[in-house]
Amino acid sequence: MSGTSSRPVEKSGVFKLGGVLPIHRLGYGAMQLTGPGIWGPPKDRAEAVRVLRRAVELGVDFIDTADSYGPYVSEEIIAEALHPYAKGLVIATKAGLVRTGPNQWHPVGAPKYLRQEVEMSLRRLKLERIDLFQLHRIDPRVPVEESLGELKALQKEGKLGHIGLSEVSVEDIQRARKVVDVVSVQNRYNLTDRVHEQVLAYCEQEQLGFIPWFPLATGGLAKPGGALDAEARKHQASPAQIALAWLLARSPVMLPIPGTSSVKHLEENLAGAELSLSKDELAAVDAQASGR
């Protein structure tokens, strides 16, 4: 299917982070605006800039990035492409993973380090306040109370708006909420990877935004000949659009952030917000994805 609206993302519905900050439920993840292994600059920086600008044109008002993407590259390109930012555009970023090379990620949650990264992200993104700042990983060597205590201090200073977590259990979230007001959780989740089902259920119960990373299973759910082909042909849609439509229907707190470095793929993904699946169709997609 091709989009029938000039701003298809608006069909995805609205979620209020922390009950107060409205965003459309289908956003954009900026991890892929970097080189191989999420390391270094992209092959085509001009196309990366076009992708970001086109995303906003199509109604995206929630962009997710991190200091570790590049590192720093993704944040720099976002500022280059979109600053000064449109009213209502929420840029979410993260810190807590240090990079030592392509595909290498190491948790660091020391308070001084997190403060440094917040200050640097503010500078790179050309922001006075980051609307949503997420602890990218809990560092097993640092009590989470210390890591989040520093983020709470930065929040009180007006440098952070809301605070979220990434790759956490229900127990982690409950522990974190004793320190800060958690508004979102970013865990890996898609049609074929539902290990965090309990976390999603908790987020739904508590009205926390659930941001599924790898929503298309790194392209596995989008390839021709895959498990979603039959339903995609029925709707004259792409498998990626079916996978995103399923996620949006799965829970009202679900905030998918499909990423791409191609304007063509971006337009295709975001058109998925206009795709509506019936209960029977959702069940069929479920069965196809699980091989039943």
Side-chain angles (χ1 to χ4, degrees):
M1 63 176 285
S2 58
T4 57
S5 165
S6 62
R7 293 174 66 83
V9 171
E10 293 177 354
K11 299 290 181 66
S12 67
V14 172
F15 179 82
K16 290 185 178 181
L17 288 167
V20 295
L21 183 61
I23 56 171
H24 287 106
R25 290 177 55 217
L26 187 58
Y28 174 76
M31 185 174 74
Q32 294 189 37
L33 300 183
T34 60
I38 324 303
W39 187 259
K43 183 178 179 180
D44 188 343
R45 192 180 184 98
E47 178 74 352
V49 168
R50 285 191 291 270
V51 164
L52 287 162
R53 291 175 177 167
R54 185 64 177 142
V56 173
E57 288 176 355
L58 294 171
V60 166
D61 55 12
F62 179 61
I63 295 175
D64 178 83
T65 186
D67 65 342
S68 54
Y69 298 165
Y72 314 139
V73 172
S74 177
E75 290 183 334
E76 290 168 351
I77 295 176
I78 287 170
E80 176 186 337
L82 300 176
H83 189 270
Y85 300 111
K87 184 179 180 181
L89 179 61
V90 174
I91 309 292
T93 193
K94 302 180 284 292
L97 285 174
V98 167
R99 306 297 306 285
T100 54
N103 292 317
Q104 296 177 37
W105 312 78
H106 311 282
V108 175
K112 285 185 178 180
Y113 172 75
L114 292 175
R115 175 171 287 272
Q116 167 189 291
E117 294 308 292
V118 167
E119 295 287 2
M120 291 174 69
S121 287
L122 285 166
R123 187 186 308 174
R124 281 189 296 270
L125 289 167
K126 300 181 180 178
L127 287 168
E128 293 184 1
R129 186 183 78 161
I130 295 166
D131 284 327
L132 174 61
F133 191 87
Q134 302 153 93
L135 181 62
H136 210 160
R137 288 295 185 280
I138 292 176
D139 184 344
R141 301 164 301 175
V142 179
V144 72
E145 289 81 2
E146 293 184 14
S147 301
L148 293 174
E150 192 67 24
L151 297 186
K152 185 175 183 178
L154 286 156
Q155 189 179 47
K156 287 183 176 179
E157 293 166 22
K159 294 175 180 178
L160 304 181
H162 299 282
I163 294 173
L165 304 170
S166 179
E167 279 306 287
V168 288
S169 66
V170 171
E171 293 73 21
D172 291 331
I173 304 168
Q174 291 172 331
R175 183 176 173 184
R177 293 179 81 187
K178 294 177 181 177
V179 183
V180 295
D181 183 14
V182 174
V183 305
S184 65
V185 172
Q186 186 166 164
N187 280 16
R188 189 173 65 187
Y189 188 92
N190 56 59
L191 250 173
T192 57
D193 182 353
R194 304 187 212 173
V195 69
H196 291 298
E197 203 72 66
Q198 286 187 330
V199 176
L200 173 58
Y202 178 82
C203 288
E204 197 168 293
Q205 172 190 312
E206 300 296 317
Q207 280 299 294
L208 309 181
F210 186 91
I211 306 168
W213 60 276
F214 282 0
L216 301 178
T218 323
L221 290 173
K223 63 184 179 183
L228 304 184
D229 250 8
E231 207 62 40
R233 286 195 299 271
K234 176 181 172 183
H235 287 273
Q236 296 184 313
S238 71
Q241 289 169 340
I242 297 292
L244 290 170
W246 180 88
L247 280 172
L248 288 168
R250 174 65 187 80
S251 170
V253 305
M254 189 79 75
L255 309 173
I257 48 165
T260 178
S261 57
S262 156
V263 170
K264 179 182 177 182
H265 287 152
L266 173 82
E267 293 174 342
E268 178 183 287
N269 288 344
L270 298 186
E274 297 182 313
L275 182 59
S276 179
L277 302 176
S278 69
K279 286 185 178 180
D280 288 345
E281 288 168 339
L282 290 168
V285 169
D286 234 331
Q288 290 166 16
S290 58
R292 295 197 302 270

